[in-house]
């Protein structure tokens, strides 16, 4: 949703020697997911992987005090974005025999108090992953998800306090590259 931020990230990638193209917009909208896929196809000529990393924890608190708007937002940014991007990419990924890597969360395996909506959204991502894996395997498309715990970010470090256990960004990158690459060509439907 932040065109300026997307342009800045593209510059960061370029500085690392990575060819990237911007496609900004709200991924909860079907047209934006299609735009992202079209942009990749136009520039690169094919689509080998989709990494559905959009999302986050935005609704924290007891269910009795969680508004319907918070529920809708959490489901939209975590589950709907993965669904729309995967749907937009199915055809091109079938042509390349590519992969989808979704982001679930440890909250799917170990739901906690105050996080019911987020846990439900990430459980939806896990179910979507497994259903799509079964559906797309005959076309040669693999669908898996990673379910990290708390990732070391400045925001998480500030809110978690001392003694927290973090997943490092390098660990997440390694998992995504493995699941998106040829080394995992026989793996699908796993969280």
């Amino acid at each position: 949703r932040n065109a300026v931020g997307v342009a800045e990230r593209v510059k960061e990638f370029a500085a690392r020697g990575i060819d990237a193209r911007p496609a900004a917009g709200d991924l909860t909208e079907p047209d934006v997911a299609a735009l992202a896929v079209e942009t990749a196809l136009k520039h690169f000529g094919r689509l080998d992987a989709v990494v559905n990393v959009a999302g986050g924890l935005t609704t924290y608190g007891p269910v009795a005090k969680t508004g319907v708007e918070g529920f809708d937002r959490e489901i939209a940014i975590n589950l709907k974005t993965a669904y729309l991007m995967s749907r937009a990419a199915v055809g091109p990924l079938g042509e390349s025999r590519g992969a989808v890597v979704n982001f679930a969360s440890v909250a799917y395996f170990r739901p906690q108090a105050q996080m019911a909506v987020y846990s439900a959204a990430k459980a939806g991502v896990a179910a979507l992953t497994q259903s799509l894996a079964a559906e797309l395997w005959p076309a040669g498309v693999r669908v898996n998800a990673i379910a990290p715990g708390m990732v070391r970010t400045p925001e998480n470090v500030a809110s978690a306090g001392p003694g927290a256990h973090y997943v490092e960004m390098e660990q997440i990158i390694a998992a995504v590259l493995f699941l998106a690459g040829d080394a995992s060509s026989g793996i699908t439907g796993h969280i």
Side-chain angles (χ1 to χ4, degrees), residues 151-177:
V151 179
R152 185 183 302 276
T153 65
E155 298 82 11
N156 285 343
V157 170
S159 67
H165 177 75
Y166 297 100
V167 176
E168 302 299 335
M169 194 61 68
E170 292 78 18
Q171 295 169 310
I172 291 175
I173 292 167
V176 169
L177 290 174

Side-chain angles (χ1 to χ4, degrees), residues 5-123:
V6 169
E8 289 173 5
R9 292 305 300 263
V10 168
K11 288 179 186 175
E12 289 175 24
F13 285 131
R16 294 178 181 190
I18 300 169
D19 189 8
R21 293 292 181 267
D26 183 344
L27 285 174
T28 65
E29 299 296 329
D31 292 346
V32 175
L35 171 66
V37 170
E38 289 168 15
T39 300
L41 290 172
K42 181 179 177 183
H43 182 71
F44 299 107
R46 60 185 285 153
L47 187 64
D48 293 311
V50 169
V51 180
N52 288 314
V53 68
L57 172 61
T58 64
T59 306
Y60 183 85
V63 169
K65 294 184 178 181
T66 300
V68 173
E69 300 82 13
F71 175 86
D72 288 345
R73 176 175 166 71
E74 203 75 26
I75 297 297
I77 67 170
N78 288 289
L79 179 56
K80 186 177 181 183
T81 56
Y83 165 77
L84 291 175
M85 280 302 303
S86 297
R87 186 180 79 166
V90 165
L93 288 174
E95 292 173 12
S96 67
R97 299 182 65 80
V100 175
V101 180
N102 290 323
F103 270 68
S105 169
V106 73
Y108 157 65
F109 296 107
R110 293 191 313 260
Q112 297 178 16
Q114 314 295 318
M115 293 177 57
V117 178
Y118 178 76
S119 296
K122 291 303 187 178

